[in-house]
């Protein structure tokens, strides 16, 4: 290994950006040349996508260009799409260049496996999804049409989904929006979830969140069904195993996730779903010098459920993984090992007119602490304040304590 270590980070979101900032805290530009490769030119605060769908934020408001903060940190930004990773030759190939590395951090997030539910679309079928900026723009258009021509709505998640929080947020936010426009009486809302009970969220539930969600949905006349395996979305309905079709003119369904194509098709890098298997330091179990963090990582489900639900990978968890990986990588350059830690999670769910706060430690049960669950308007303000503070801090090349919000 030469005097200057070459580190390549793939992905410019929570995982990639946090890794870059944390690595620079430990490694000066004289010691490490860091390159961040991302296909998107901007960082987007993904947890605010449901607000974009409701017309309460624009994509510009929740994003910033990556180039300036990265150059302030002496990190080279390459806006390129990765097409392959050769872990033997230690080279990343993109649409424009080749990037040799000594260490590689994969933080490429997910590919939405929309093909799992015929009709999910969103661009070639009637279903909608908020899993990325373009999909959310499409969903925002569908919600505008719904306001003009109201009809029944289904908000749900497909079997194998792991990102369940937005199902609840979108149902509550839509309910709130329709009430404000006095259209709610024309729009029956049904939540269809693969979870065995409300608030399971792929992590076996969290304290009293199940009761909170049951009460909140019932209070708002939102019908729900659990252990549902959605099979198809048509123009008029959502079909599911063993159920009569649920009428819906606007079907918002969270898909199961897979690894992005470049990771899934690179030999020896990922499991059959395209996720990267890692150890407690977020190091690849076989490929030398390779780490993975965030949604790109393979994490086993919390337990068996009648309809599959996968383990969550939230923004807060992604940042903890990035911290652990960056510290281990910096320590390994000096011939040491970094410290590992169990993942915890803090998360605020937007309920339209208020918020619900959840804290689990660790995420995977059984847990040392009884989870904290709290409801109130202050949590909605906290979520909004966290978004603003996060964007303002990250765009200046700085980090803020992530224990505060989400
Ligand atoms: C609608 C929604 C709401 C959410 N709400 C919350 C919340 O309230 N709280 C919370 O904690 N978490 C929330 N999450 C989860 C959170 O957004 C994710 O955990 C987080 O975005 C994961 O970050 P990541 O860096 O792993 O991947 P991503 O955010 O998916 O980013 C992937 C990065 O990789 C890049 N990339 C992908 N493929 C390539 C390629 N081939 N070449 C180059 N670059 C590539 C992309 O450009 C992007 O920069 C939400 C998720 C969604 C979808």
């Amino acid at each position: 290994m030469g005097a200057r270590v070459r580190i390549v980070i793939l992905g410019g979101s929570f995982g990639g950006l946090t890794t870059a900032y944390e690595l620079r805290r430990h490694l000066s530009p004289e010691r490490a040349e860091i390159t961040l490769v991302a296909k998107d030119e901007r960082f987007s605060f993904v947890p605010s996508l449901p607000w974009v769908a409701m017309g309460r934020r624009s994509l510009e408001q929740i994003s910033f260009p990556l180039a300036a903060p990265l150059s302030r940190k002496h990190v080279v930004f390459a806006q390129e799409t990765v097409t392959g990773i050769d872990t033997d030759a230690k080279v990343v190939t993109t649409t424009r260049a080749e990037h040799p590395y000594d260490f590689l951090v994969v933080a490429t997030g997910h590919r939405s496996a929309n093909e799992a539910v015929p009709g999910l679309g969103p661009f070639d079928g009637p279903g909608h999804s908020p899993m990325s900026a373009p999909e959310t723009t499409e969903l925002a258009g569908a919600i505008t049409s719904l306001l003009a021509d109201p009809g029944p709505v289904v908000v749900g998640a497909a079997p194998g989904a792991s990102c369940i929080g937005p199902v609840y947020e979108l149902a509550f936010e839509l309910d709130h929006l329709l009430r404000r426009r006095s259209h709610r009486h024309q729009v029956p809302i049904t939540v269809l979830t693969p979870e065995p009970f409300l608030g399971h969220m792929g992590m076996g539930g969290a304290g009293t969140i199940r009761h909170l969600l049951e009460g909140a949905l019932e209070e708002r006349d939102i019908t729900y069904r659990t252990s549902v395996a959605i099979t198809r979305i048509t123009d008029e309905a959502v079909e599911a195993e063993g159920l009569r079709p649920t009428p819906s003119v606007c079907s918002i369904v969270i898909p199961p996730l897979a690894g992005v194509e470049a990771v899934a098709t690179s030999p020896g890098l990922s499991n059959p779903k395209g996720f990267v298997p890692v150890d407690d330091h977020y190091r690849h179990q076989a490929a030398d010098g390779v780490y993975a963090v965030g949604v790109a990582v393979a994490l086993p489900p919390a337990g068996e459920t009648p309809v599959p639900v996968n383990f969550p990978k939230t923004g807060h968890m992604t940042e903890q993984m990035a911290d652990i990986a960056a510290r281990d990588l910096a320590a390994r350059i000096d011939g040491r090992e970094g410290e590992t830690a169990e993942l915890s999670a803090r998360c605020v769910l937007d309920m339209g007119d208020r918020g619900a706060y959840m804290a689990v430690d660790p995420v995977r049960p059984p847990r040392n602490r009884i989870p904290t669950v709290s409801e109130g308007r202050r949590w909605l303000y906290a979520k909004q304040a966290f978004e603003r503070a996060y964007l303002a801090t990250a765009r200046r090349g700085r980090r803020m304590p992530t224990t505060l919000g989400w």
Side-chain angles (χ1 to χ4, degrees):
M1 205 178 287
R4 260 182 116 209
V5 178
R6 293 164 306 177
I7 303 172
V8 175
I9 301 169
L10 309 182
S13 183
F14 295 102
L17 206 58
T18 305
T19 305
Y21 290 176
E22 188 61 21
L23 279 173
R24 258 301 168 248
R25 262 178 18 92
H26 298 275
L27 299 169
S28 66
E30 290 71 39
R31 291 200 69 198
E33 173 192 312
I34 305 178
T35 304
L36 187 147
V37 182
K39 67 178 168 56
D40 298 308
E41 179 248 339
R42 299 173 78 88
F43 169 93
S44 294
F45 193 79
V46 178
S48 295
L49 287 179
W51 291 341
V52 174
M54 298 297 145
R56 287 172 49 199
R57 295 279 190 286
S58 67
L59 288 174
E60 283 67 33
Q61 284 172 321
I62 64 153
S63 66
F64 60 82
L66 284 162
L70 287 174
S71 97
R72 210 167 296 153
K73 289 277 166 192
H74 305 282
V75 173
V76 177
F77 175 48
Q79 194 206 335
E80 296 163 17
T81 300
V82 177
T83 51
I85 300 156
D86 184 335
T87 54
D88 293 328
K90 294 194 164 185
V91 176
V92 171
T93 306
T94 73
T95 37
R96 292 217 200 129
E98 292 205 329
H99 299 276
Y101 65 82
D102 299 309
F103 291 98
L104 176 71
V105 183
V106 179
T108 40
H110 74 273
R111 177 181 77 79
S112 292
N114 293 327
E115 69 279 4
V117 178
L120 176 49
F123 300 106
D124 54 2
H128 311 282
S129 149
M131 296 306 293
S132 65
E135 288 167 309
T136 304
T137 304
E138 193 273 347
L139 170 59
I143 290 173
T144 305
S145 306
L146 178 76
L147 293 172
D149 188 12
V153 169
V154 164
V155 187
S162 53
C163 183
I164 310 277
V167 172
Y168 296 109
E169 290 198 314
L170 288 162
F172 287 130
E173 288 170 10
L174 199 54
D175 166 82
H176 186 61
L177 176 66
L178 289 162
R179 272 177 215 286
R180 284 204 331 259
R181 305 282 176 100
S182 302
H183 283 315
R184 182 63 176 91
H185 68 295
Q186 296 165 298
V187 182
I189 303 178
T190 307
V191 167
L192 299 179
T193 176
E195 300 162 286
F197 53 84
L198 296 185
H200 179 283
M201 304 220 192
M203 58 176 177
T208 56
I209 191 70
R210 168 187 185 156
H211 310 294
L212 186 155
L213 289 171
E214 281 172 2
L217 291 176
E218 284 162 13
E219 192 175 54
R220 290 165 174 77
D221 301 319
I222 300 174
T223 312
Y224 59 83
R225 299 195 77 132
T226 54
S227 289
V228 173
I230 293 175
T231 51
R232 198 160 82 101
I233 300 169
T234 65
D235 286 324
E236 307 86 34
V238 172
E239 297 173 12
E241 256 171 48
L243 292 181
R244 264 187 295 188
T246 308
S248 176
V249 296
C250 179
S251 310
I252 310 168
V253 174
I254 305 285
L257 305 183
V260 302
E261 199 184 335
V263 173
T265 56
S266 293
L269 189 58
S270 65
N271 69 14
K273 282 187 181 165
F275 292 123
V276 182
V278 289
D279 66 13
D280 289 350
H281 299 274
Y282 295 94
R283 283 200 299 243
H284 194 281
Q285 288 166 351
D288 182 51
V290 176
Y291 289 77
V293 300
V295 177
V297 163
L299 295 178
E304 259 191 45
T305 46
V307 178
V309 189
N310 276 306
F311 198 67
K313 298 167 203 165
T314 67
H316 183 210
M317 291 161 71
T318 297
E319 294 213 334
Q320 292 167 70
M321 295 186 216
D323 279 338
I324 294 168
R327 286 176 204 155
D328 187 72
L329 196 163
R332 268 230 284 173
I333 292 172
D334 292 333
R336 295 178 290 109
E337 253 196 358
E339 284 182 10
T340 63
E342 279 272 2
L343 298 176
S344 61
R346 289 184 177 78
C347 161
V348 180
L349 204 74
D350 177 3
M351 298 172 72
D353 56 350
R354 62 196 120 132
Y357 171 77
M358 262 185 307
V360 283
D361 184 13
V363 182
R364 198 178 285 276
R367 302 186 178 111
N368 298 324
R369 295 187 192 174
I370 293 177
T372 307
V373 176
S374 166
E375 183 184 358
R377 207 165 168 72
R378 66 187 182 284
W379 294 118
L380 187 53
Y381 296 140
K383 191 171 173 85
Q384 290 161 352
F386 183 73
E387 175 216 45
R388 275 196 301 275
Y390 191 102
L391 284 165
T393 313
R395 66 157 32 108
R396 290 206 304 268
R398 305 235 303 268
R399 292 195 56 197
M400 67 177 282
T402 57
T403 45
L404 295 175
W406 296 98

